[in-house]
Amino acid sequence: PARPEGALQRHQSPSCPLQPRLVAGIGGPAPRLGCIMSDGDQPALTEQQQAVYDRQIRIWGVEAQKLLSTSRVLVVGCTGLAAELCKNITLAGLGGLTIVDDTIATQTYSGNFLVSQDIRAVESGKSVGAIMAEALREMNPMVQIEHVQGTAASLQASSLAKYAAVVLARSSFAEQQRVNSICREAGVAFYAMESRGSFSYCVVDLGKHEYTVQVKQDEAKGEEGPARTETKTVNFAPLSAVLTAPWAQFPKRTHHGIYLLQTVAEAEANAKGDPSLKDLIAARDARADKEGAQGEAVLPTAALESWVLGGMTTVEAEMPLVNAVTAGGVAQEVVT
């Protein structure tokens, strides 16, 4: 069978796009402005936008900022990681941000810094998404930010086409795969992310994605003049293909995190809900027997224990530093 490509990445070139991006960072093939482009001429930036975004305009140019300022992103779930991401893309000058969540603030995840400091809002019983939207509007009034009651289960194809990207924060793998399928059909960039203790991951699926690179002339071959631009294509695989890919298809130095995600997805399906540690161990061992591998060597039980502990709503569930680093990388993926 064809090798799944790209749905999970880890700091590498498109030549090996199956590796998981488990820790945020720069990485990736090249600036991916294609995921935020829209048809037609873009309106000029206002004087206020040029002044506020001056530093980043110097990095990626006026045209890129114009494209960013006309793009909309949908974020589902209001975890601490989602709060960091929303803050980053709001300050970058996104055109619009829609937050989907129906969690009451008193039940919020501990790592959401946009909510924990707003004691009055928590006491009033507002939803986490509504409080986040208010805080983000204050950070950058030039971005259109709205909050919609709902969950990932309420997303339908008809409502996603207007977005450049959809980001799921802490959704089940069944829901991630369903929304990923919808996004592929609609031609919308798909991201899913989660932070559990010291572990975090980000799923990326841009479908058939084109990007450009600058290639220097080879003087040894007699080539002269400025660097030329080449267009390259990366075919991302759906998340479902990566979660079911045989272990033998992954490079030998693959981080065990990808096997963890495969195991959790299988255990979720078997348990029809959040799996226990016992469920995870059983799923890992069954997969290892099928693959003819030693389960503990490929995926240590300690990693499964950390996953379960990180899913609890406690102070340790989401670490602010992990959220900040991961969201920085995911934000860079989304805006470029």
Side-chain angles (χ1 to χ4, degrees):
R3 173 175 173 173
E5 294 184 342
L8 294 170
Q9 300 184 337
R10 178 189 175 91
H11 311 301
Q12 36 78 65
S13 67
S15 62
C16 181
L18 186 59
Q19 283 278 68
R21 175 160 298 169
L22 300 170
V23 181
I26 295 181
R32 294 203 278 263
L33 293 175
C35 71
I36 62 170
M37 287 185 178
S38 58
D39 295 331
D41 295 333
Q42 305 299 325
L45 296 175
T46 65
E47 291 185 4
Q48 183 182 15
Q49 288 175 318
Q50 293 184 52
V52 172
Y53 306 134
D54 176 72
R55 185 170 62 175
Q56 59 205 49
I57 289 175
R58 294 172 185 271
I59 297 175
W60 55 48
V62 174
E63 292 305 314
Q65 188 65 45
K66 287 165 62 177
L67 290 170
L68 181 60
S69 65
T70 56
S71 301
R72 297 190 62 84
V73 171
L74 177 71
V75 176
V76 184
C78 292
T79 63
L81 183 56
E84 287 282 357
L85 172 70
C86 290
K87 178 257 295 179
N88 291 340
I89 60 179
T90 295
L91 294 177
L94 193 70
L97 172 63
T98 300
I99 301 171
V100 178
D101 189 75
D102 60 3
T103 306
I104 301 302
T106 53
Q107 303 168 337
T108 186
Y109 297 105
S110 60
N112 193 319
F113 72 96
L114 292 176
V115 175
S116 59
Q117 296 179 4
D118 196 337
I119 304 301
R120 291 173 297 177
V122 172
E123 291 177 345
S124 68
K126 288 184 178 180
S127 68
V128 179
I131 298 172
M132 283 181 58
E134 292 175 1
L136 293 168
R137 290 188 194 104
E138 293 181 3
M139 289 184 180
N140 192 347
M142 292 183 289
V143 179
Q144 297 179 357
I145 300 174
E146 63 176 338
H147 165 246
V148 177
Q149 291 284 121
T151 63
S154 62
L155 299 182
Q156 301 299 325
S158 58
S159 63
L160 300 184
K162 65 180 179 180
Y163 295 102
V166 172
V167 183
L168 302 187
R170 188 166 284 196
S171 295
S172 70
F173 282 100
E175 203 61 62
Q176 289 183 32
Q177 292 175 75
R178 185 187 75 84
V179 177
N180 181 208
S181 178
I182 295 175
C183 287
R184 288 179 68 86
E185 293 179 5
V188 176
F190 171 81
Y191 301 84
M193 61 182 189
E194 187 168 357
S195 171
R196 286 178 177 245
S198 61
F199 176 84
S200 66
Y201 72 89
C202 174
V203 172
V204 182
D205 182 4
L206 304 182
K208 183 178 181 180
H209 177 66
E210 293 186 351
Y211 63 97
T212 60
V213 295
Q214 296 292 321
V215 180
K216 294 182 178 180
Q217 302 291 4
D218 191 343
E219 296 181 359
K221 295 181 179 180
E223 297 177 347
E224 299 180 354
R228 65 182 186 277
T229 300
E230 289 187 0
T231 300
K232 295 183 178 294
T233 301
V234 177
N235 291 311
F236 285 71
L239 174 59
S240 58
V242 179
L243 291 177
T244 57
W247 290 355
Q249 287 192 355
F250 295 98
K252 291 183 179 180
R253 295 180 64 84
T254 296
H255 190 280
H256 69 255
I258 193 168
Y259 308 123
L260 172 60
L261 301 187
Q262 289 184 323
T263 299
V264 173
E266 187 170 346
E268 279 183 355
N270 295 337
K272 295 181 173 54
D274 291 332
S276 65
L277 178 60
K278 182 179 179 180
D279 296 329
L280 292 174
I281 293 175
R284 179 202 63 186
D285 292 345
R287 182 65 179 268
D289 290 341
K290 181 180 178 180
E291 299 279 352
Q294 185 177 358
E296 181 67 28
V298 175
L299 178 56
T301 301
L304 302 177
E305 293 174 342
S306 295
W307 176 272
V308 174
L309 291 174
M312 299 179 180
T313 309
T314 63
V315 175
E316 295 80 13
E318 286 192 273
M319 296 183 178
L321 179 58
V322 174
N323 286 345
V325 174
T326 305
V330 178
Q332 176 178 275
E333 294 292 321
V334 172
V335 301
T336 60

